[in-house]
Amino acid sequence: MSRYTICPEASMSRLSAALLLLGAILLGGSSALAQSDSDVYNRIEELHGDAASFDRPLRQLVRAMRSGDAETIAGLAEYPLTVRANGETYDVENAEDFIDNFDNFDDLVTPETRRAVGRQQYEDLFVNSDGVMMAGGAVWMGAVCDDTACEASHWAIIAINN
């Protein structure tokens, strides 16, 4: 016999409270989670600096994903680049390696990833200290230091996770 007594009224009231809270989150959560372009820009600036320089590579990547332009995508990546796709991991050593595997491009960057990134909206980007996430984590871009002091940097694809 248990030393603890289950009080059905208390359990039901906790369950009701939890369901009400979940409902409130679901109904009001979308507006609470919505962010504007300026919110995203400010978050990039806060965590990575030079948010203005992110716009051009982002637009290039979105266009390249829409058109399946492997050369542009390869040129936007930092190497070596680890690509996870279809349950496999590929180590891409350089842009030439990326382009040379264009015949297997669907293995490196799946059509689903290309479509999702091609439809990416600025306000839907997720920004943290690792970088900027697109398409639900399928592609990450980060500010990559150009020197050991990190006085200069450039934006590049740092991960592809189809």
Side-chain angles (χ1 to χ4, degrees):
M1 182 152 231
S2 173
R3 294 180 7 178
Y4 302 100
T5 308
I6 298 175
C7 177
E9 296 82 19
S11 296
M12 192 53 114
S13 65
R14 286 188 188 135
L15 177 60
S16 298
L19 289 174
L20 285 173
L21 178 60
L22 178 60
I25 290 170
L26 291 174
L27 290 175
S30 61
S31 64
L33 298 176
Q35 56 186 2
S36 68
D37 287 359
S38 62
D39 292 334
V40 173
Y41 182 93
N42 291 337
R43 182 84 170 143
I44 293 170
E45 185 66 35
E46 173 189 342
L47 293 175
H48 303 283
D50 197 17
S53 69
F54 176 69
D55 185 62
R56 184 169 185 231
L58 173 64
R59 290 181 192 280
Q60 289 174 323
L61 179 60
V62 168
R63 279 193 304 271
M65 288 288 192
R66 283 183 190 151
S67 64
D69 181 355
E71 289 184 19
T72 298
I73 296 167
L76 290 168
E78 184 69 19
Y79 297 95
L81 177 68
T82 300
V83 177
R84 291 174 187 79
N86 304 314
E88 299 288 329
T89 300
Y90 305 91
D91 294 318
V92 181
E93 295 302 318
N94 52 50
E96 294 78 27
D97 189 22
F98 192 97
I99 294 165
D100 287 347
N101 286 295
F102 184 75
D103 291 338
N104 298 325
F105 188 54
D106 285 351
D107 289 336
L108 291 179
V109 183
T110 64
E112 295 81 16
T113 294
R114 291 197 308 268
R115 277 192 298 275
V117 174
R119 291 189 306 256
Q120 182 68 54
Q121 297 296 310
Y122 196 86
E123 68 268 7
D124 295 329
L125 295 170
F126 172 78
V127 183
N128 69 16
S129 61
D130 294 326
V132 179
M133 179 184 80
M134 292 167 232
V139 176
W140 282 82
M141 291 186 84
V144 179
C145 294
D146 293 331
D147 54 44
T148 54
C150 205
E151 292 177 3
S153 64
H154 66 278
W155 285 94
I157 299 167
I158 56 173
I160 299 176
N161 306 302
N162 294 277

